[in-house]
Amino acid sequence: MKPTLQFKLSQHLTLTPQLQHSIRLLQLSTVELNQEIERIVQENPLLELDDNLGNDAIDYRNTTLDSLAEPLADLIEIPDDGSAKLLPIEDDPYEKKAADEPDWFSDDGPFRHARDDDDERDFPQQAAEPPSLREHLNSQLSLSQVPERDRKIVGLLIDSLNDDGYLVQDLEELVDLLPPELAIDIDDLHIALEYLQHLDPPGVGARNLRECLVMQLHALPECTPYRDQALLLVNNHLDSLASRDFCTIKKLLHCDDECLRSIQHTITRLNPRPGMAFSSAVARYIIPDVIVTRVSGAWVASLNPEAMPRLKINRLYADILKRCHDDSARRLSSQLHEAKWLIKNVHQRFSTILKVSSAVVERQRQFFEHGAVAMRPMVLREIADTLDLHESTISRVTTQKFMRTPRGIFELKYFFGSHVATDTGGACSATAIRALIKQMISAENSKKPLSDNQISEILGQQGIMVARRTVAKYRESIQIPPVNLRKSF
């Protein structure tokens, strides 16, 4: 086929690198944004974080929507055509430091504590990490009188425990996985398991929930009230207890309500996951991006200054770039341009978050006044049309962005949800319906809890038409068990 050339005119949307970077920063959470900025600061010498909030840094303290219209910083200017322009620098703080060089080792110098004898007080004390479950068990095993061969087999079982302290792998399967030259049979594993199950915490090494509870009951003193009845119930009728079939349990144990209540209390005090006390999971704290406060009777959204990085251009490198015009300054010029665009994109990110948050607060005023039962139905397109933004932009802003309110900390997506029609032709938010269901269940009679069908009928009497399966879906979403598991005696 003969190659030919032809012209074709078409229109298409092209995302510039600056726009792609702006979109990427917008969808990052606060923690991810700080990590990204720290990485860029380490790579770009012309960009730095100002913890002391100098004159060149962006100040987000008490930031409102109107104050974000001010210039980013006095040092830089980014024209609309994308060309970077560096404004003149009046003073160089680094030259002042060179002129007023201090006596480093004088009595007033920064190293005046170098001659102190008790320097240890200057070092902060760090808390020791708690031992893991494996370390805790191995330390007990090293102090026991178990034979050396059995101790190694017990150590093998300890390595097979999961985070809850259970031995989920079958002993016969474990024997097949061991090398034949070790000469370990099933009897050796059973003996090692006996050693393991006598270690602390009680219940460790159990192969199922029933065995774990039985081990903990055996560890209780024999004088514990209703200990034998609790052992009988766990060994033979644990499924009936899980389904709360109290009538059948009372017939099987020949006991009254008071006795069964005491037995249930003894069992519920046990720990079904003995290994979780040694878990090394680190708690993840939420840093709110927006703070909502009441000012002069109105709810106002403002940016959280503690969550916002304060960026500025490094004056020393900027002054060097201003004085040099040779080829060696090209890389610094490119990094200066990147630093300016980063500051502009971060500023644009905060501005968009604040705009969306202010629009959400304006439409959900009743929520801040009366709680979740007053939440109005709202979708992303409603905010997008109001702010003249794309719906995907609203989705990026509301993902992993949090708002601190007098009623708690909520993700921005919490304020959006579907709706259910009412008998008057209106609409009720799904969040409000979940709050109503939670209120009804918290006020119900525990001996006769409300079923999903009864809750649906009560909501229908209030004008909210919700099917039984919808009630069940909302109840499961707020982690409320079904009616048979909420029943007590």
Side-chain angles (χ1 to χ4, degrees), residues 154-312:
V154 175
L156 176 65
L157 296 180
I158 291 176
D159 294 336
S160 302
L161 298 177
N162 62 6
D163 294 337
D164 295 334
Y166 283 84
L167 183 64
V168 295
Q169 193 169 14
D170 189 77
L171 293 181
E172 295 181 355
E173 296 179 357
L174 192 58
V175 169
D176 297 336
L177 295 176
L178 295 176
E181 56 269 17
L182 295 179
I184 298 177
D185 56 13
I186 189 66
D187 295 332
D188 295 330
L189 291 182
H190 280 291
I191 295 174
L193 183 60
E194 287 290 332
Y195 286 126
L196 174 60
Q197 292 181 349
H198 282 82
L199 298 179
D200 181 77
V204 68
R207 288 161 288 186
N208 50 59
L209 177 61
R210 178 180 284 104
E211 186 177 11
C212 179
L213 298 179
V214 168
M215 290 166 56
Q216 296 184 52
L217 288 172
H218 279 298
L220 295 176
E222 295 184 0
C223 59
T224 303
Y226 304 103
R227 172 177 172 267
D228 296 336
Q229 292 88 337
L231 279 170
L232 180 62
L233 179 59
V234 171
N235 272 317
N236 303 320
H237 313 294
L238 187 60
D239 295 337
S240 300
L241 179 63
S243 61
R244 293 179 177 262
D245 190 0
F246 299 118
C247 295
T248 303
I249 294 175
K250 287 190 292 185
K251 292 179 181 179
L252 294 173
L253 299 181
H254 305 287
C255 62
D256 54 6
D257 291 346
E258 185 65 27
C259 178
L260 182 55
R261 189 176 294 109
S262 301
I263 295 173
Q264 185 186 23
H265 179 67
T266 302
I267 297 175
T268 53
R269 289 173 55 191
L270 305 177
N271 185 6
R273 304 168 70 182
M276 287 301 296
F278 301 89
S279 177
S280 59
V282 179
R284 297 183 60 186
Y285 297 95
I286 294 176
I287 302 176
D289 302 87
V290 181
I291 300 176
V292 178
T293 54
R294 190 179 182 90
V295 179
S296 301
W299 295 100
V300 179
S302 60
L303 294 174
N304 181 13
E306 302 299 330
M308 308 304 170
R310 292 178 278 271
L311 299 170
K312 72 173 185 178

Side-chain angles (χ1 to χ4, degrees), residues 23 96 126 140 174 209 225 227 299 311 388 467 474:
I23 293 175
K96 294 181 180 180
Q126 297 181 355
Q140 300 176 65
L174 192 58
L209 177 61
R227 172 177 172 267
W299 295 100
L311 299 170
D388 196 18
Y474 288 164

